Amino acid sequence: MAIQNFGEINGDAGTSQLVVTESLDIYCAQRMQEFLDGVIRESSPNLAIDLSAVEDIDSSGIQLLLALNQQLKSQNKTLTITQCSSEVKTLFSLYQIERYIQLEDNT
């Protein structure tokens, strides 16, 4: 099920899986934040995000993911990034995102 063109949510009782299919940049940050607020309310204790289809990410996208991680932690939930495109990997490496968000890149 595609939701607001951002991605698909699947999952079971323990983990919700979000597959992001849009860019994570300044142009969609506000709409994506609103979408993620709903995801947080509806998500299982664990949220896994697949970013393998994301071709464009900037510091706004990084900030969005860091804020999402903090919101989930405040509710005793966890965030894991399960897949990354090469563009996302490059930026994650630059910002050392693995220090803040659990990464399980299976590519």
Side-chain angles (χ1 to χ4, degrees):
M1 162 178 71
I3 300 176
Q4 295 182 354
N5 296 325
F6 288 115
E8 298 179 13
I9 299 177
N10 303 301
D12 57 33
T15 301
S16 296
Q17 174 76 29
L18 172 62
V19 180
V20 178
T21 58
E22 293 292 318
S23 296
L24 292 175
D25 58 22
I26 188 108
Y27 302 107
C28 74
Q30 180 63 37
R31 290 183 303 125
M32 186 65 162
Q33 180 62 56
E34 292 167 4
F35 170 72
L36 289 173
D37 287 342
V39 170
I40 290 169
R41 283 190 303 275
E42 303 296 325
S43 74
S44 302
N46 304 301
L47 177 61
I49 299 182
D50 180 334
L51 300 176
S52 60
V54 174
E55 295 180 6
D56 189 29
I57 185 169
D58 64 12
S59 59
S60 297
I62 296 293
Q63 182 179 5
L64 195 66
L65 292 171
L66 292 171
L68 173 62
N69 189 49
Q70 288 300 329
Q71 286 177 293
L72 289 168
K73 280 184 177 181
S74 73
Q75 297 176 21
N76 295 317
K77 296 182 178 184
T78 62
L79 172 63
T80 302
I81 306 296
T82 59
Q83 300 283 328
C84 297
S85 65
S86 61
E87 293 82 359
V88 172
K89 283 182 189 178
T90 299
L91 203 56
F92 276 10
S93 176
L94 178 66
Y95 284 103
Q96 299 179 350
I97 293 303
E98 70 279 357
R99 294 175 59 196
Y100 309 102
I101 299 174
Q102 182 176 349
L103 303 178
E104 291 180 3
D105 192 3
N106 298 322
T107 60

